[in-house]
C-alpha cells in the first residue's frame, strides 16, 4: 500500500509511522527500509482486497504520477463486494495499472465492478 490513514489523514509511508488501512480499518505499519520501496503493510499477512497482488516498481511509479488523495480508493458494489482502485480521480474515473498477465474473465470482472475505468497496461513485458 502507498497510503494509510495517520490521524485521519491519507499519508505516504515514512519511518516510524503507524497508520490505519483506509480500506479495511486494520493497523498498518510503514515499511521504510533501504532495500525495498517504501510502503505500508498490514500487520501479519493480511490482504483486504482479493484482487491484491505484489506491486512492481512500474505499477507504483504510475500510481505516484497522481495525487495521493486519489491512490488506493476502496469501492463497494450494491452487494457489498469491495475492491481497491489503484487510482480514482475526482470525477470518479478509475485507473487500473496492470503489469502482470490476467485472464479475460478477470479483466471483465474488474470492468463490470468499476464500470467507469481505464486500463494502463505494461506492453513491454
Amino acid at each position: 500500500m502507498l497510503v494509510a490513514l495517520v490521524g485521519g489523514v491519507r499519508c505516504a509511508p515514512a519511518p516510524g509511522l503507524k497508520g490505519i488501512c483506509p480500506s479495511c480499518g486494520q493497523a498498518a505499519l510503514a515499511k521504510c527500509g533501504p532495500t525495498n520501496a517504501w510502503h505500508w503493510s498490514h500487520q501479519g499477512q493480511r490482504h483486504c482486497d482479493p484482487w491484491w497482488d505484489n506491486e512492481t516498481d512500474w505499477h507504483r511509479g504510475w500510481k505516484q504520477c497522481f495525487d495521493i488523495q486519489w491512490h488506493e480508493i476502496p469501492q463497494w458494489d450494491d452487494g457489498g463486494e469491495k475492491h481497491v482502485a489503484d487510482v480514482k480521480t475526482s470525477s470518479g474515473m478509475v485507473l487500473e495499472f496492470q503489469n502482470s498477465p490476467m485472464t479475460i474473465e478477470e479483466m471483465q470482472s474488474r470492468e463490470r465492478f468499476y464500470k467507469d475505468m481505464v486500463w494502463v497496461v505494461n506492453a513491454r513485458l
Side-chain angles (χ1 to χ4, degrees):
M1 291 183 289
L2 293 179
V3 176
L5 300 174
V6 178
V9 177
R10 295 172 65 81
C11 292
L17 285 183
K18 293 182 182 178
I20 302 294
C21 174
S23 179
C24 69
Q26 297 298 309
L29 300 174
K31 302 287 185 157
C32 303
T35 306
N36 294 322
W38 287 14
H39 64 283
W40 291 95
S41 178
H42 288 95
Q43 288 186 312
Q45 294 295 320
R46 178 178 165 77
H47 301 294
C48 58
D49 184 348
W51 289 343
W52 180 87
D53 200 359
N54 283 326
E55 291 183 346
T56 63
D57 290 338
W58 178 90
H59 190 112
R60 278 188 299 277
W62 271 104
K63 284 190 345 189
Q64 291 174 332
C65 290
F66 298 88
D67 189 286
I68 194 169
Q69 299 306 316
W70 295 357
H71 292 193
E72 302 170 358
I73 304 298
Q75 285 195 207
W76 291 263
D77 68 8
D78 293 336
E81 183 177 349
K82 177 190 75 175
H83 295 289
V84 180
D86 287 334
V87 167
K88 185 175 181 182
T89 68
S90 57
S91 69
M93 171 71 68
V94 169
L95 306 175
E96 282 291 293
F97 306 108
Q98 192 62 34
N99 189 52
S100 57
M102 72 167 40
T103 66
I104 191 75
E105 293 81 14
E106 178 73 13
M107 181 187 76
Q108 291 169 340
S109 173
R110 293 184 190 201
E111 290 173 351
R112 279 191 303 273
F113 182 84
Y114 289 124
K115 297 176 182 59
D116 189 18
M117 72 167 294
V118 172
W119 290 100
V120 178
V121 177
N122 185 355
R124 299 183 84 183
L125 294 176

